[in-house]
Amino acid sequence: MSDRLLRVNAYTTLDLVDGRARGHEFEADAPGVVNVTAPREDPEQVTLEVELDNTAIDDLPAHADEIDLSPAQARTLAEALESTADRVEAAQNGDDDSL
């Protein structure tokens, strides 16, 4: 990803994920980066960062989206990701009972 705004290194949560940008008049697939971070000293929130490769999307300028979450919101999101991942994994394994 050229012209990257988010720092990607060995500590990045997920790099090179499959992403999609969707607007009213466009939709484009692009590789991306997802990162979860908090300040090292006196953290007050968890930050979720997402950036798609701007070279693959002509309809958007280079940008990164960030969402600040309270610890409770981060846990709610983590629980939703976990339960949804379980449901998708069960479907992939043909386990119809858990759907």
Side-chain angles (χ1 to χ4, degrees), residues 17-31:
V17 297
D18 294 331
R20 182 179 318 103
R22 184 172 44 202
H24 286 292
E25 307 208 6
F26 74 92
E27 186 170 312
D29 293 329

Side-chain angles (χ1 to χ4, degrees), residues 4-8 33-35 49-51 64-66:
R4 181 178 287 141
L5 298 172
L6 296 181
R7 181 179 295 188
V8 176
V33 173
V34 177
N35 194 39
E49 304 169 318
V50 178
E51 181 179 8
D65 295 308
E66 296 181 357

Side-chain angles (χ1 to χ4, degrees), residues 5-97:
L5 298 172
L6 296 181
R7 181 179 295 188
V8 176
N9 57 34
Y11 303 105
T12 304
T13 307
L14 299 172
D15 54 336
L16 297 177
V17 297
D18 294 331
R20 182 179 318 103
R22 184 172 44 202
H24 286 292
E25 307 208 6
F26 74 92
E27 186 170 312
D29 293 329
V33 173
V34 177
N35 194 39
V36 177
T37 188
R40 289 181 190 252
E41 296 181 21
D42 300 320
E44 294 183 9
Q45 77 271 335
V46 175
T47 301
L48 175 64
E49 304 169 318
V50 178
E51 181 179 8
L52 297 180
D53 183 355
N54 67 305
T55 62
I57 303 173
D58 295 330
D59 297 299
L60 288 174
H63 75 285
D65 295 308
E66 296 181 357
I67 300 169
D68 291 331
L69 304 165
S70 69
Q73 290 171 321
R75 286 187 184 91
T76 298
L77 180 60
E79 289 170 10
L81 287 167
E82 185 76 31
S83 66
T84 303
D86 289 345
R87 185 169 52 88
V88 170
E89 195 170 59
Q92 291 175 344
N93 293 331
D95 184 4
D96 294 333
D97 294 337

